[in-house]
Amino acid sequence: MKHFNRLFTQRRIFWIFLAVMLVPNLFLCFTEHLPFLFKVVYILIPGALYLLLLNLSRKPGITFWALFPLHFIGAFQLVLLYLFGNSIIASDMFLNMFTTNSGEAFELLDKLAPAVVGVFILYLPALALAVYSIRRSDSLTPLFQKRAFMLSMLLLGTGLLIYTPAHRQAPHRARLDNLYPINAFNNARFAVSSWKAAKNYHLTSRDFDYRASSSRDPQMPEVYIFVIGETARAGNWGLYGYERNTTPRLGARHDVIHFDDVLTQINATHKSVPLMLSPADALDFNQIYRQKSLITAFKQAGFRTAFISNQLHNGSFTDFFADEADCTLYLLAPKNKTHLYDNALLPVVDSLLRSGPAKQLIVLHTYGSHFNYCERYTAENRSFTPDYINEINRKDRQAMINAYDNSIVATDWLLDQLIERLDRTGKTSALLYLSDHGEDLLDDDRDRFLHASPIPTYYQLHIPFVLWFSPQYVSQFPLDTQQAREQHKTPFDSRVVFHTLLSIGGIETDYRIDSLSLVSPSFHLDKRYYLGERNIPVPVKYLPFDDEDRQAFERHGIAPR
């Protein structure tokens, strides 16, 4: 114990804490595309600030514990770098903490063991050392604190001097608010304000009115099913030229229209799904706080509506919109130890179709291909083996791909079953499916995995989009169906969903924009946009793609525009 006391003096503990706090900055200097001079600033100015903070108490352990939120964000940032390879924690990453259920979180953490163990090794001993610092009888001397303060001022002054030419060199990237942890805390603050605004949604949207009506005979039987996919990327669908026939059932249907060049507006479920369901889009996301969903528009036009989810209630806009339906049902209960397969949706659909209203809208929110992939399909859809992995690594990548592809086979089966059911009704009907976003699967030397990264990849953006019309619909509205077929190679993004569904259902409202409807002769979309950090729209062609992404776009015949 004496040796320990002599080794870990308050002075040494002080410098250890400074080193621990600078670890995220050091990593970010290597992972971020920053000018060299700004990388120097990235260490000097935060280092000066950390010195000042640690110097506030004569026992550095007190300050270190008081800065626990900073350490939490630092640990979060390091895990993010392990997962995605680069980027500051985005505001959406903080929002994901509130909208991801615990089961999903533990599934992911279980596969990210190296990163989790690494941050524990870094921060837990440091926090324990902080307790030791507090309990020690001695403390930092006034002379040491004076010298530490002078050093902090020297580092701060040097950093500010270097910042001036660094900012001139790259004014958009080399900014003080782009220094970690300032940028991370700004994003966290934006996430909190967004969360509060979402919680007030029922007040801010209370008086919203689509003034919607149906252009069709009230007695004409109609039923439309909108299937929201989860984490399915187009590149692994047989319909899109994948080497494996993961979509044999849809591929055998000549009445299914698949759209080749569709991108999501954002790679995170808690925003991408609401953008499908509402008039809001990447160009003006904030209008979502004042508007209701297409479910309300269909209700106002005389449709009986249902929202059936195979995901957990999570307090996001998706849930707010689901509550607008006449029938809202969440199949997955918090007490379930394992996730239900999406085929559990079929008995509910059968019941709804038997219920007999003349006009119906059914929205199905699937679990699709969300990680952990091997838990998303039954034995009947287990086409590719082996399909189980213990952790995410390149050695086990083929098994991971097998499991992911099996989840696509399960989605293919589900959609085929839904189409069969709609066909048997003999009603004017249609089915629309698209995924909320794609997924990275260790596709190249970047070893990117999952989705919702601050900077998206090709694999997270390119999504499958499928339309099916019943023979009755084709007979009654041949121009609509022909127009949709003619657009199957046209580039567009997920903003078309809202307007297309309203058009298919014959819903008249001022919020329907026919130039964004796939069944309208006036369909036209100049640019595709991505919902960037802090809800700023970014033209897809200006996203900072890596060369690997540009090559992937080219291989699949897609222009990132």
Side-chain angles (χ1 to χ4, degrees):
M1 189 64 182
K2 290 182 180 179
H3 294 294
F4 186 89
N5 290 337
R6 283 197 296 267
L7 180 63
F8 291 102
T9 64
Q10 294 284 20
R11 289 187 179 188
R12 286 177 178 164
I13 291 172
F14 181 96
W15 297 119
I16 290 171
F17 289 165
L18 176 64
V20 169
M21 293 166 72
L22 277 172
V23 167
N25 294 77
L26 291 168
F27 273 91
L28 288 166
C29 281
F30 290 98
T31 63
E32 304 309 291
H33 299 294
L34 301 171
F36 174 76
L37 287 178
F38 193 62
K39 289 184 178 183
V40 177
V41 176
Y42 222 82
I43 300 299
L44 292 180
I45 292 182
L49 296 177
Y50 298 155
L51 271 172
L52 285 172
L53 291 171
L54 288 171
N55 211 30
L56 290 176
S57 172
R58 295 185 65 185
K59 292 190 175 184
I62 295 175
T63 304
F64 194 79
W65 262 107
L67 294 174
F68 183 83
L70 175 65
H71 311 322
F72 177 83
I73 287 180
F76 194 178
Q77 179 65 68
L78 292 173
V79 172
L80 178 73
L81 291 178
Y82 175 85
L83 184 60
F84 297 128
N86 60 8
S87 301
I88 300 299
I89 309 171
S91 57
D92 283 331
M93 295 299 296
F94 289 107
L95 288 170
N96 282 339
M97 294 172 62
F98 298 102
T99 58
T100 299
N101 68 66
S102 58
E104 289 180 7
F106 282 115
E107 283 178 354
L108 177 57
L109 289 175
D110 183 53
K111 306 302 181 184
L112 296 177
V116 175
V117 170
V119 296
F120 280 173
I121 290 174
L122 177 65
Y123 287 103
L124 290 184
L127 289 169
L129 196 59
V131 174
Y132 172 76
S133 168
I134 296 170
R135 293 173 62 89
R136 281 184 65 110
S137 59
D138 63 331
S139 57
L140 298 174
T141 64
L143 178 60
F144 177 88
Q145 286 187 296
K146 181 179 179 180
R147 289 175 175 173
F149 176 78
M150 293 174 64
L151 177 60
S152 67
M153 290 297 100
L154 176 62
L155 294 178
L156 182 61
T158 305
L160 291 174
L161 284 174
I162 299 175
Y163 169 75
T164 301
H167 180 68
R168 288 174 182 167
Q169 184 182 357
H172 297 293
R173 287 181 293 163
R175 306 190 316 268
L176 289 177
D177 63 352
N178 199 29
L179 287 173
Y180 179 88
I182 298 171
N183 45 16
F185 276 106
N186 283 340
N187 292 345
R189 187 175 65 229
F190 182 84
V192 171
S193 65
S194 298
W195 181 256
K196 289 180 179 177
K199 289 304 179 184
N200 288 326
Y201 168 75
H202 294 293
L203 294 176
T204 55
S205 66
R206 181 173 51 192
D207 299 325
F208 181 80
D209 187 357
Y210 278 106
R211 299 182 295 279
S213 61
S214 175
S215 62
R216 298 171 186 167
D217 183 348
Q219 303 306 315
M220 184 179 82
E222 297 177 87
V223 55
Y224 304 110
I225 295 182
F226 174 30
V227 185
I228 303 170
E230 174 68 64
T231 321
R233 67 187 203 178
N236 285 61
W237 281 50
L239 281 179
Y240 294 91
Y242 185 43
E243 59 192 21
R244 287 175 164 177
N245 190 10
T246 53
T247 53
R249 294 167 181 83
L250 293 180
R253 287 186 171 275
H254 300 297
D255 51 0
V256 165
I257 309 169
H258 66 276
F259 299 87
D260 294 344
D261 194 347
V262 186
L263 304 182
T264 183
Q265 294 180 86
I266 187 170
N267 59 356
T269 302
H270 73 276
K271 285 184 177 177
S272 61
V273 172
L275 286 176
M276 299 175 194
L277 291 165
S278 74
D281 55 33
L283 284 167
D284 187 6
F285 178 82
N286 290 333
Q287 65 179 306
I288 204 169
Y289 297 106
R290 305 184 299 273
Q291 298 173 339
K292 295 182 180 178
S293 79
L294 62 84
I295 293 172
T296 290
F298 272 85
K299 284 177 66 176
Q300 290 181 354
F303 280 73
R304 176 79 176 176
T305 59
F307 188 103
I308 314 302
S309 177
N310 198 27
Q311 301 206 18
L312 282 173
H313 193 287
N314 58 23
S316 68
F317 276 102
T318 304
D319 293 345
F320 302 156
F321 293 161
D323 290 340
E324 297 173 17
D326 297 303
C327 170
T328 304
L329 180 62
Y330 293 87
L331 301 183
L332 187 60
K335 294 181 181 180
N336 285 357
K337 293 184 178 179
T338 57
H339 296 306
L340 294 173
Y341 304 121
D342 285 334
N343 61 12
L345 295 163
L346 292 174
V348 184
V349 172
D350 289 337
S351 177
L352 291 168
L353 293 177
R354 287 194 303 266
S355 64
K359 298 181 185 295
Q360 287 182 285
L361 170 71
I362 302 172
V363 181
L364 304 177
H365 193 187
T366 67
Y367 225 122
S369 301
H370 199 289
F371 189 81
N372 190 355
Y373 315 125
C374 63
E375 296 180 3
R376 305 293 171 247
Y377 49 88
T378 62
E380 289 76 13
N381 297 133
R382 190 169 180 249
S383 303
F384 309 105
T385 57
D387 56 348
Y388 181 78
I389 58 174
N390 289 315
E391 61 181 75
I392 305 302
N393 55 50
R394 187 154 291 279
K395 180 185 67 175
D396 296 326
R397 181 176 185 267
Q398 189 56 58
M400 179 181 69
I401 294 295
N402 290 342
Y404 184 84
D405 287 349
N406 288 337
S407 73
I408 303 299
V409 173
T411 296
D412 173 67
W413 181 86
L414 173 69
L415 295 178
D416 182 68
Q417 291 294 308
L418 290 169
I419 289 172
E420 279 191 15
R421 283 160 167 77
L422 285 176
D423 201 10
R424 287 199 300 265
T425 66
K427 296 180 179 180
T428 299
S429 60
L431 177 144
L432 187 152
Y433 166 90
L434 82 161
S435 182
D436 55 355
H437 50 72
E439 185 88 318
D440 283 320
L441 297 170
L442 307 180
D443 298 285
D444 46 50
D445 56 6
R446 295 174 297 177
D447 285 337
R448 298 283 294 269
F449 180 58
L450 295 181
H451 57 269
S453 58
I455 298 176
T457 65
Y458 155 79
Y459 304 98
Q460 296 181 39
L461 293 182
H462 188 199
I463 55 174
F465 191 119
V466 170
L467 253 179
W468 173 87
F469 297 102
S470 70
Q472 293 78 11
Y473 193 101
V474 174
S475 175
Q476 290 176 285
F477 309 105
L479 294 180
D480 288 6
T481 54
Q482 181 59 33
Q483 177 63 29
R485 287 191 176 277
E486 290 176 358
Q487 304 300 338
H488 86 99
K489 289 187 176 295
T490 303
F492 59 87
D493 58 38
S494 57
R495 87 182 92 163
V496 308
V497 174
F498 174 85
H499 308 281
T500 298
L501 282 170
L502 290 182
S503 295
I504 288 173
I507 310 299
E508 301 285 353
T509 172
D510 292 340
Y511 290 88
R512 192 183 91 188
I513 303 173
D514 285 345
S515 62
L516 295 176
S517 168
L518 291 171
V519 299
S520 170
S522 62
F523 178 74
H524 180 72
L525 194 150
D526 287 326
K527 293 181 181 179
R528 293 190 282 196
Y529 288 88
Y530 181 81
L531 186 63
E533 180 56 46
R534 303 182 197 173
N535 298 338
I536 297 173
V538 182
V540 169
K541 67 178 181 179
Y542 292 136
L543 286 171
F545 291 121
D546 291 335
D547 289 339
E548 292 87 344
D549 296 310
R550 298 188 185 282
Q551 292 165 9
F553 275 111
E554 186 175 344
R555 282 198 308 273
H556 291 84
I558 295 175
R561 61 175 179 82

